[in-house]
Structures are given as C-alpha cells and as structure tokens.
Amino acid sequence: MTDTFKAILVSRDADKKQSVDVVDLTEADLMEGDVTVAVEATTVNYKDGLAITGKAPVVRRWPLVPGIDFAGTVTSSSHADWRKGDKVILNGWGVGETHYGAYAGRARVKGDWLVPLPEGVSAHDAMAVGTAGYTAMLSVMALERHGIVPDRGPVVVTGAAGGVGSVAISILSSLGYHVIASTGRSAESPYLIDLGAAEVISREELGQPAKPLAKERWAGGVDSVGSHTLANVLSMTSYGGAIAACGLAGGMDLPGSVAPFILRGVSLLGIDSVMAPKEVRLEAWRRIGTDLDLKKLSTLSRTIGFDGIVAAARDIVEGKIRGRVVVDM
C-alpha cells in the first residue's frame, strides 16, 4: 500500500475564490525534483501567511502546497551532493509559491536548492531561524560589507517584534551593536530588551510622512516594513550610512526623497533571500551557527503542530505573532 501523508493545499475556483484544505497525498503527487525529503520541521513566515490567507498574490500555481521553509532528512536522491539520511534545509527558490512546499510530510525539490543543516543545529532550531532569520543574517552581512560596524554608531531594526526583527536584534546585539528597536507593540519592549535591544522606540515615530532629511539618529539598520517607515529610517541615517531593506509589512511603496542619497551618501541595500546564490546561503547559515545565540531561540519562538498552521498564518498577517513560529511535523 502506498504511504500517504497530510498536506495543506490551497486552491482557487473558476471565480478565483481561494480555499484551504487538509488533504492526503502520496509521493506520486509531488512535483518534479531530484531529492525527496521527509519534512521534520517547518515554520510560518509572513509570506506563508499571505499565501494561506490570499491577502497578496504569493501563490502563482494552483493548486499548491504552501510553506517556503523546511528542514528534514533526505529519503531518496539522484543528485550528486545528497544521499539518503542527509540532514538538509531549504529556504526560498519559489517553494511554497510555484513549487509544492513545506506544509506536507514529504517534499521533492531540486538538490541545488538545499543546504546542509549546520552541525549542532537541530531541524527545530533551523526553523526557529527560518527564512526570517536567514534574511536577517543576509541583512547583517550586507551592512558589514558596507562598513557598518559597531563603532560606526547605533543601528535601527524596524518591525522589531516580528521574525526578521527578532533575529536581527539578537544577531546584531551579540556582535556588539547598539540596537534601537522600533515596534508598534509597546507591550513587547521587555521581550525586545531581553533579545538585546538597547532602546525601544514606537513605530509611530517612523510611521508618518517623512521629511527629506531629519536629524541623524543611526549609522545603519534593518528594515522589514517599507513604505513611510523606510522613508523615515533613510532620512534619519547618518552620513555614509546604509539601510538593508528586506520586507514590506507596511507597504511596497517608498514615499521618500533622494535627499539622503545625494546629500548624506546613504545607501539602500536590497536583500533578496529567495534566489540568493548557494555560496551566500552557505555563508549565512555558517554565520547563524556562530553569531546567533541559539539559547535565545526558545525566547523568540514558539512551537505548534501541523494542525495549527492555518490559524498561525492568519495571526501573522494580522500582526498577532511575536518572533518565530516553529512547526514540528
């Protein structure tokens, strides 16, 4: 008898009305790929929330199993780099958008999309990091390449209580940066300080239309919000500073001016986690293993089961999730 496993399937009818169902699949139902993985842990990212709720056009193939991250064990492989029993991680590459994703007991993908699970990091811990944390590390690496080191001055992290923000604060503080955390949830201030934030400011300070230039407050930052928040962050960045932009929780627009770029030499660093080259991914995960205090993962994450994915997806879109959500499959 062919083994079956549970999966979440999002579908659309002729009128483009979206539905979400829990179904039973077999490996024969999976999409093409040269490596099959038993999914042991996954997570719920903001993008996953958008996919399940349909609040944004994340899903571009119907029907689809969502879920952009997973960690697990290879069960079969025809790829030269992977053998049965290998522990692997996947982030991005269109998985959960155009290719069946993590919210199933099995995933079949291209071996080139996988990276090895770092030594000493469990599948659960890897998903407490997930794409959000991996994106945070890519952002930190971009700031470092631009010369934004702790001695340059404070750094700001927007959307601080979210997944990217929580991990960014933890990494930056462990590297010695003075971190200013921006959040719309004042009750989360103790949590952010525990993660390593030196200061917490209200989202309202950055949420209004930005001046072309404002008082210089930080040398760099990590922004996952976009829109007015990013415009304000740029206007308050000191001469020669840089901001890593990696999200759009507040909007895709950027209603600012060129003044920070041409009068202060500020740089806007774009961060893409989906198609980042393999060597960059390997370096990011190596750095996560060394620069992220894994003990903090229990503070910045909570664990749910497969049956809690849909509710968590709705909550994250509504801003009700703090930190990271790990799904033990």
Side-chain angles (χ1 to χ4, degrees), residues 191 194-195 294-302 322-323:
Y191 161 76
D194 285 346
L195 287 181
L294 296 180
K295 295 177 183 176
K296 289 186 178 180
L297 290 178
S298 60
T299 300
L300 60 84
S301 65
R302 66 182 178 92
R322 179 179 82 176

Side-chain angles (χ1 to χ4, degrees), residues 5-9 25 30-31 37 39 42 48 63-70 90 92 94-109 113 329:
F5 49 85
K6 282 186 177 181
I8 294 174
L9 196 69
L25 299 180
L30 298 177
M31 294 176 65
V37 179
V39 179
T42 180
D48 299 315
L64 191 81
V65 175
I68 66 173
D69 287 336
F70 65 73
L90 181 137
V95 172
E97 300 178 64
T98 59
H99 190 97
Y100 275 20
Y103 296 160
R106 295 284 188 277
R108 183 180 295 126
V109 297
W113 297 346
M329 298 289 281

Side-chain angles (χ1 to χ4, degrees), residues 12 47 57-62 64 94 96-98 274-275:
R12 283 204 308 199
K47 184 180 281 187
V58 169
V59 175
R60 299 191 298 280
R61 180 201 185 278
W62 304 92
L64 191 81
E97 300 178 64
T98 59
V274 177
M275 296 297 179

Side-chain angles (χ1 to χ4, degrees), residues 88-242:
V88 295
I89 302 170
L90 181 137
N91 308 108
W93 292 116
V95 172
E97 300 178 64
T98 59
H99 190 97
Y100 275 20
Y103 296 160
R106 295 284 188 277
R108 183 180 295 126
V109 297
K110 293 182 179 181
D112 289 343
W113 297 346
L114 301 169
V115 296
L117 187 69
E119 190 170 344
V121 178
S122 68
H124 183 280
D125 285 349
M127 290 300 99
V129 176
T131 283
Y134 149 69
T135 302
M137 180 54 79
L138 292 176
S139 300
V140 172
M141 290 163 57
L143 292 175
E144 290 174 337
R145 287 194 300 271
H146 198 77
I148 308 302
V149 294
D151 290 347
R152 286 285 299 272
V155 291
V156 64
V157 175
T158 67
V164 173
S166 294
V167 180
I169 290 168
S170 182
I171 294 171
L172 288 165
S173 63
S174 72
L175 293 173
Y177 290 85
H178 180 102
V179 182
I180 300 171
S182 167
T183 181
R185 293 177 269 174
S186 59
E188 302 292 7
S189 293
Y191 161 76
L192 298 173
I193 290 169
D194 285 346
L195 287 181
E199 303 175 49
V200 180
I201 63 174
S202 170
R203 178 172 61 196
E204 295 304 314
E205 292 189 40
L206 305 175
Q208 303 303 313
K211 298 177 181 178
L213 286 177
K215 181 180 178 181
E216 298 177 41
R217 297 178 67 176
W218 34 70
V222 177
D223 175 68
S224 60
V225 179
S227 194
H228 291 293
T229 295
L230 178 54
N232 274 289
V233 165
L234 288 166
S235 77
M236 298 175 186
T237 301
S238 59
Y239 191 92

